[in-house]
Amino acid sequence: MKIDVLTLFPEMFSGVLSTSMLGRAREKGILDVSLHNIREYSQSKHKNTDDYPFGGGAGMVMMPQPIFSCLDAVDPRHEALRIVFTPRGATLSVSMAQEFAGKERLLLLCGHYEGIDERAMEQMDCELSIGDYVLTGGELPAMVLIDCVSRFIPGVLGSSVSAEEESFSTGLLEYPQYTRPADYRGMAVPEVLLSGNHAHIARWRREESLKLTWRRRPELIAALDEGELDKRDREFLARLKNQEK
Ligand code: ADE
């Protein structure tokens, strides 16, 4: 996948893009990320990229010219899916990440200051937020998107099943995990995980997932499709609800 990032702060990306899974995916050529410094496209004498808002008000607004020129250079035929990050966008979800992972090209525009001139916003295909809080810019959201989309690109994760089994992909939060030692400072790993009985382990994990989701994110249980809970799941949840009433 090819990802073009339009930003005023390309240096923010270096650690994230060169470390761990993303670093390896780039080395393997599965992921091709190019950073474009919007400032370099400014035609003003002092390479300005922002100006005062028409109508007054606090803060500065990113000017259209550097953004349009950068888009013309990077994606002249509008072939990429263009995403801009703002707190007013739709919230990024795992299903969106999966959908984006199927695209050949993404273009990410990172906003700064108080906003982006609306005429530049209109050149984008979608506006995304990563949560209901305000950051100083779109760089961290862009890195979040690159990271979570990459996990759905074949070859990025070590094991292809793991992205599918995790929290949210099943519609439930993930069950607890343990590794050696079986007893650490007097805290024992649940017996069933040492039993070697795969059916019991699978059932235990399923019920831990249901329990955690019910306690922490009950709205996720309510949102599950009819077929996603079997008879045993329903009975388990009914018992849980009874106990915790
Ligand atoms: N820019 C500033 N805050 C943001 C957020 N929460 N999500 C996406 N872009 C942002």
Side-chain angles (χ1 to χ4, degrees), residues 85-87 111 128-138 141:
F85 297 99
T86 79
L128 286 188
S129 162
I130 60 162
D132 287 341
Y133 40 82
V134 180
L135 302 166
T136 53

